[in-house]
Amino acid sequence: MNKETAYKTYLSEDEIPRAYYNVRADMEQKDAMLLHPGTLQPVTVADMEPIFCTELAKQELNTTDRYIPIPAEVLSFYRMYRPSPLVRAHFLEKLLGTPARIYYKYEGNNTSGSHKLNSAIAQGYYAKEQGLSMLTTETGAGQWGTAMAMACAYFDLKLKVYMVKVSYEQKPYRKTVMQTYGAEVFSSPSTTTEIGKQMLAQDPQTSGSLGNAISEAVEVAVGTEGARYVLGSVLNQVLLHQSVIGLEAKAAMEKIGEYPDVVIGCAGGGSNLGGLMAPFMEDKLAGRPSPYFIAVEPASCPSLTRGRYAYDFCDAGQVTPLAKMYTLGHGFVPAPNHAGGLRYHGMSPILSQLYNQGILDEARSVEQTEVFAAAIDFSRAEGTLPAPESAHAIKVAVDEALKCKETGEEKVILFGLTGNGYFDLMAYQQYLDGQMSDFIPTDDDLECGFATIPSLPGIQSF
Ligand SMILES: *Cc1c(COP(=O)(O)O)cnc(C)c1O
């Protein structure tokens, strides 16, 4: 197949992709292999099967198939809300007085309110296919838990969600939506697991962390017949599913004769950015003209900009495989701020590898109050109330557009608007009341997290 046009072959008449694009197949230097936490050997599908659905474990380790067909049932679910809109931000351009053309791909157009549903429905499908009856997961800001609840309702699977305590308290209605779709929701750390009890004994006042919540969900999955664990970011399989964002965006831009000079995405675990940039990264990896890629993260949880590139556990309880990634240490507990879904200690191994090689061009960290200022400008100009996570990308898109105003360059800027902010109104209120502040960890704070990165005999981590 002609490499240049391969992705189009998989785009259907209705402009929804027929296959996921696996960027790893085109990476000369692959992301480092996941290691078994006990043996420190590369994990196999058999190692992963007790925790993950078998097909998803296969996808996790697949570095060779460039395209993986989207199952028909998943495709028909996508038809309910895809293709998602690609919008030219005319009013934002006008507000900024920039010669840049700004586009955003809006993923907040479904009840879960974010791009997470793209992977949730695929994961639910593979679980159902395997004959499983229950899934467990964690959720930070709540979008993933909601997406998974919708997927499990669709496929008639039971779901237990461990929700990071700070979000559980800040966003009570997230819980209501999950329950509406039939999920059981626990505040994490909880007393329903051994690891949760340990965490509570260590620090009864803890605000929780994704790392803890993952450990709880894995413990329950492993201990329950017919159950597996699912994760909404970081993993290779999730980036794979999220490639639908980029595939649609690239095709839509092509249709109007545009190609981005800059692609910007917020980065929590890296799935939306990985998905948005994948088909453009395909151009870069093939040596064709390609955009400048920027990952945006919160200054409060700066894994790419201040973290270490090392093997680390994906969870606080050290039960998941070790991944080589930019990490703040699995013991890092971020300040309880509103970066919500961006509060994870690590970063996708694929993005980490691309960033380490300078193929993902830049990572930038931004502060909470400037992010909310950008969110409010955007909502007033464009009529869409963005999720705080998405607003990180808005902030940098605005900065780039203002640079164009100075230089007169008519750049094409594409960013990912990953979700809507209807469940984040408490945070908006805090900002409007002048009650929001910036949390930036000191070097000493970060050292505490780094101290929890394991030193592995015989493994070149740094
Ligand atoms: C989860 C989430 C993110 C961050 O996750 P990634 O895996 O980095 O994409 C960003 N925006 C929204 C709306 C989210 O729900």
Side-chain angles (χ1 to χ4, degrees):
M1 187 176 308
N2 179 347
K3 249 193 159 187
E4 195 157 355
T5 57
Y7 82 95
K8 277 197 223 158
T9 314
Y10 289 98
L11 207 69
S12 56
E13 296 265 301
D14 53 14
E15 302 186 356
I16 302 173
R18 285 285 186 269
Y20 299 119
Y21 167 57
N22 183 14
V23 70
R24 297 159 93 198
D26 286 331
M27 286 166 61
E28 218 159 279
Q29 247 174 289
K30 309 290 181 204
D31 47 290
M33 284 187 277
L34 298 171
L35 302 182
H36 188 286
T39 63
L40 299 184
Q41 295 303 305
V43 292
T44 60
V45 170
D47 291 332
M48 295 177 88
E49 275 183 313
I51 300 181
F52 297 100
C53 305
T54 303
E55 194 53 39
L56 292 167
K58 286 182 188 161
Q59 291 182 358
E60 196 58 31
L61 302 182
N62 188 333
T63 58
T64 50
D65 294 324
R66 299 184 70 230
Y67 286 89
I68 295 174
I70 298 174
E73 274 189 73
V74 176
L75 200 61
S76 67
F77 187 91
Y78 282 161
R79 285 207 183 90
M80 283 195 254
Y81 70 102
R82 306 205 70 81
S84 72
L86 177 83
V87 184
R88 169 100 183 255
H90 281 293
F91 298 100
L92 182 64
E93 290 170 15
K94 205 166 136 195
L95 178 74
L96 301 173
T98 177
R101 297 194 292 285
I102 308 174
Y103 294 87
Y104 60 89
K105 178 77 169 157
Y106 182 45
E107 293 289 327
N109 213 8
N110 66 76
T111 292
S112 79
S114 82
H115 66 288
K116 300 250 175 24
L117 191 57
N118 302 333
S119 184
I121 197 66
Q123 298 196 35
Y125 169 80
Y126 293 118
K128 187 71 182 180
E129 270 293 289
Q130 194 178 330
L132 300 173
S133 55
M134 180 173 108
L135 292 173
T136 70
T137 196
E138 80 298 326
T139 196
Q143 287 94 319
W144 170 247
T146 313
M148 217 44 239
M150 291 174 71
C152 285
Y154 188 73
F155 288 117
D156 196 20
L157 294 159
K158 200 172 157 192
L159 177 67
K160 290 193 179 184
V161 180
Y162 287 84
M163 185 169 186
V164 178
K165 185 176 161 194
V166 60
S167 299
Y168 188 90
E169 288 168 359
Q170 275 174 1
K171 301 187 180 185
Y173 294 124
R174 273 276 167 210
K175 185 180 73 180
T176 308
V177 185
M178 289 186 257
Q179 289 173 340
T180 299
Y181 281 92
E184 229 182 312
V185 188
F186 306 90
S187 170
S188 170
S190 77
T191 52
T192 66
T193 66
E194 289 311 311
I195 186 83
K197 286 181 211 161
Q198 268 174 37
M199 299 290 167
L200 284 172
Q202 270 169 26
D203 180 6
Q205 300 310 319
T206 180
S207 53
S209 72
L210 271 178
N212 280 346
I214 293 173
S215 303
E216 289 203 88
V218 171
E219 183 183 317
V220 174
V222 171
T224 311
E225 183 73 26
R228 292 293 187 281
Y229 163 74
V230 288
L231 179 63
S233 183
V234 187
L235 296 177
N236 305 322
Q237 57 188 274
V238 185
L239 267 75
L240 176 74
H241 305 147
Q242 296 299 355
S243 66
V244 294
I245 303 172
L247 290 165
E248 285 179 6
K250 193 177 187 189
M253 291 193 85
E254 222 168 67
K255 214 169 165 181
I256 51 170
E258 290 279 42
Y259 187 88
D261 297 302
V262 189
V263 171
I264 301 166
C266 61
S271 75
N272 85 82
L273 175 60
L276 175 66
M277 73 182 194
F280 300 104
M281 191 55 85
E282 177 185 359
D283 290 339
K284 185 157 192 176
L285 294 169
R288 293 190 290 270
S290 57
Y292 185 80
F293 298 103
I294 309 177
V296 190
E297 61 185 12
S300 58
C301 195
S303 51
L304 283 171
T305 50
R306 293 173 72 196
R308 299 218 171 127
Y309 190 38
Y311 268 106
D312 195 9
F313 292 97
C314 297
D315 67 318
Q318 313 187 357
V319 293
T320 54
L322 287 144
K324 190 172 179 188
M325 58 185 173
Y326 281 85
T327 178
L328 298 168
H330 61 275
F332 178 78
V333 179
N337 68 353
H338 296 287
L342 306 180
R343 297 170 76 244
Y344 185 63
H345 68 272
M347 185 55 64
S348 142
I350 296 176
L351 287 197
S352 292
Q353 176 63 36
L354 291 168
Y355 179 60
N356 189 250
Q357 282 178 261
I359 300 175
L360 195 182
D361 297 280
E362 187 186 337
R364 229 179 264 182
S365 74
V366 290
E367 291 171 26
Q368 184 164 251
T369 48
E370 59 181 3
V371 163
F372 272 85
I376 285 175
D377 283 347
F378 181 84
S379 61
R380 290 180 190 171
E382 289 294 320
T384 294
L385 186 78
E389 294 91 342
S390 321
H392 288 70
I394 296 174
K395 164 68 183 142
V396 168
V398 165
D399 288 347
E400 290 301 299
L402 290 175
K403 269 192 219 162
C404 291
K405 187 177 176 177
E406 273 172 36
T407 61
E409 284 176 290
E410 295 178 16
K411 280 192 184 168
V412 177
I413 299 171
L414 169 65
F415 74 90
L417 190 70
T418 50
N420 71 55
Y422 301 136
F423 286 107
D424 301 283
L425 295 177
M426 220 154 100
Y428 274 92
Q429 190 64 53
Q430 227 180 25
Y431 176 79
L432 294 169
D433 292 346
Q435 299 292 318
M436 186 174 278
S437 53
D438 294 320
F439 299 93
I440 301 175
T442 63
D443 288 343
D444 284 346
D445 293 338
L446 292 187
E447 283 305 327
C448 295
F450 293 150
T452 65
I453 299 174
S455 55
L456 307 176
I459 290 170
Q460 198 64 36
S461 230
F462 292 90

